[in-house]
Amino acid sequence: MTNSLRRMSIGRLILYVLGFGLAVIWLAPLVWMIVTAVKPAGSAVTVMSELFKAPFTLDNYKYVLGNASVWSWTLNSTLVALVVTVLTLLINSLAAFALSRIRFIGKQLIFWLVLMGLMVPIEAKIIPLFQIMVDLNLINSYPALILPSLAAPLGVFILKQFYDGIPKDLVEAAKIDGAGLLRIYWSLFLPLSRSSMAALAIFTFVTSWNNYLWPFLAVTEEKMMTLPVGIPTFQSAYTAELIIPMAANVLASLPAILAFILFQKHIIKGITMTGIK
C-alpha cells in the first residue's frame, strides 16, 4: 500500500513539474511582451539582464492610443470578429442540426466532406480564395474579411456530436406537440447546446480577432486593416524597434485574454459535454 501511494505521489509530482514547465514556456513570451511595452524607446529589450531594470514608462501606450489608425483597426477587428462569430454559430448550428436529425440522400457523404475540410490548411486555400474575391470585386471590403471565415468544419463537427447525444424522446415529444423542424431547432436544440455554443463562440471570436494571414492579403488600404495587420506598421522600415509594436500587441491581446478568463468555465463545460450520450 505504501509503495502504491509513493508511486502515485511521484507520478503526481512529475505531472506538476511538467505542468509548471509548460506554464512557464507559455507565459515567458507574454511576460516579455508586457515588460517590453513599458520600456523607454531605445532600451535593450532583447537582453534579459536589462529587461527588468528601471526605468519604465507608460508613454508607449499613450502613443499607441493617440494614433487614430489604431482605433480604426480596432473597430474593423471588432466588427469582423463579431459578425464572423454570429454567422458562424448560425450556419454551423443549422448544418449540424441537419446532419444530425434530418434524413436525406448523401448525408453521410456530406458529413465526411465536412470532416475532410479539417484536414485542408488555410494556406492551401489562399490562392483560390483570393482569386474568388478578385473576381467578385470584394478586395478591400468587409465581405472579403468575413465570408472566407464562415466555413468552419470544426464547429459543425462539435455541434453535431452534441446534437447526436440529445435523446430522441425529447424530439418525438416536440413533434407530438406540433413543433416543426425549425421550432425544434430553435426551442429545443439551441437551449440545450448553450455551453457548446458558448465555447464555439469564444474560439471563433478569438481566432477571427487574431487572424493575420487572410486579412493581410484581402486588404491593402490602411483604413480597412485589422489590428494584427496594422500593428506591424508601427515598426520602422529601417530599424527593428520592438517597444511600440509590443505596446500595441498588449492592447490588442486584452480582448482575447479577457474572453478566456471570463468564459473559461463555458469552454471547459462545452468541450467536455460534446458527444456525451
Side-chain angles (χ1 to χ4, degrees):
M1 189 70 173
T2 303
N3 292 334
S4 177
L5 290 174
R6 186 177 299 173
R7 284 196 297 268
M8 288 179 61
S9 299
I10 294 175
R12 183 171 297 178
L13 177 61
I14 293 174
L15 288 177
Y16 284 152
V17 171
L18 289 175
F20 180 79
L22 291 174
V24 170
I25 293 174
W26 183 84
L27 288 174
L30 186 62
V31 172
W32 179 78
M33 178 181 70
I34 294 173
V35 177
T36 299
V38 294
K39 296 291 287 184
S43 299
V45 296
T46 58
V47 181
M48 286 295 104
S49 60
E50 300 292 331
L51 182 62
F52 295 96
K53 292 182 180 179
F56 300 101
T57 179
L58 295 177
D59 290 342
N60 302 320
Y61 290 110
K62 294 179 182 179
Y63 175 81
V64 172
L65 293 175
N67 191 310
S69 296
V70 172
W71 295 103
S72 175
W73 301 336
T74 302
L75 178 62
N76 291 337
S77 290
T78 303
L79 178 61
V80 171
L82 288 176
V83 173
V84 167
T85 300
V86 172
L87 292 182
T88 297
L89 289 178
L90 178 63
I91 295 172
N92 285 2
S93 60
L94 286 170
F97 177 75
L99 291 172
S100 176
R101 297 295 172 167
I102 300 178
R103 294 182 179 180
F104 57 90
I105 298 175
K107 182 173 74 171
Q108 197 64 26
L109 174 61
I110 292 176
F111 180 62
W112 281 107
L113 289 175
V114 171
L115 292 183
M116 290 173 61
L118 292 171
M119 306 175 191
V120 182
I122 182 63
E123 292 79 6
K125 300 180 286 186
I126 284 295
I127 294 178
L129 278 176
F130 184 80
Q131 188 60 51
I132 291 173
M133 293 299 119
V134 171
D135 293 341
L136 295 177
N137 197 27
L138 293 178
I139 296 297
N140 288 315
S141 67
Y142 287 116
L145 294 172
I146 293 171
L147 293 178
S149 300
L150 300 183
L154 180 61
V156 176
F157 174 75
I158 290 175
L159 292 178
K160 181 186 180 300
Q161 293 301 103
F162 184 87
Y163 291 167
D164 287 344
I166 295 178
K168 294 182 179 180
D169 293 343
L170 292 176
V171 179
E172 294 300 325
K175 290 181 178 179
I176 292 174
D177 289 339
L181 287 175
L182 287 179
R183 181 65 183 273
I184 293 173
Y185 159 78
W186 184 261
S187 300
L188 182 61
F189 278 66
L190 287 187
L192 290 175
S193 61
R194 273 188 300 222
S195 296
S196 296
M197 294 280 283
L200 179 59
I202 295 167
F203 284 133
T204 303
F205 180 87
V206 173
T207 301
S208 179
W209 181 272
N210 293 328
N211 192 12
Y212 173 79
L213 179 59
W214 176 248
F216 175 75
L217 298 173
V219 296
T220 56
E221 298 178 1
E222 183 177 337
K223 65 178 182 179
M224 289 300 302
M225 289 181 178
T226 57
L227 270 174
V229 178
I231 286 174
T233 63
F234 280 110
Q235 197 164 8
S236 170
Y238 304 101
T239 61
E241 178 61 57
L242 299 174
I243 294 175
I244 295 299
M246 287 302 106
N249 278 323
V250 170
L251 295 176
S253 300
L254 288 179
I257 295 174
L258 290 175
F260 272 109
I261 292 175
L262 295 176
F263 302 104
Q264 57 181 325
K265 291 183 179 179
H266 292 285
I267 296 175
I268 298 172
K269 185 178 179 181
I271 296 301
T272 55
M273 290 182 64
T274 300
I276 294 179
K277 302 294 182 180

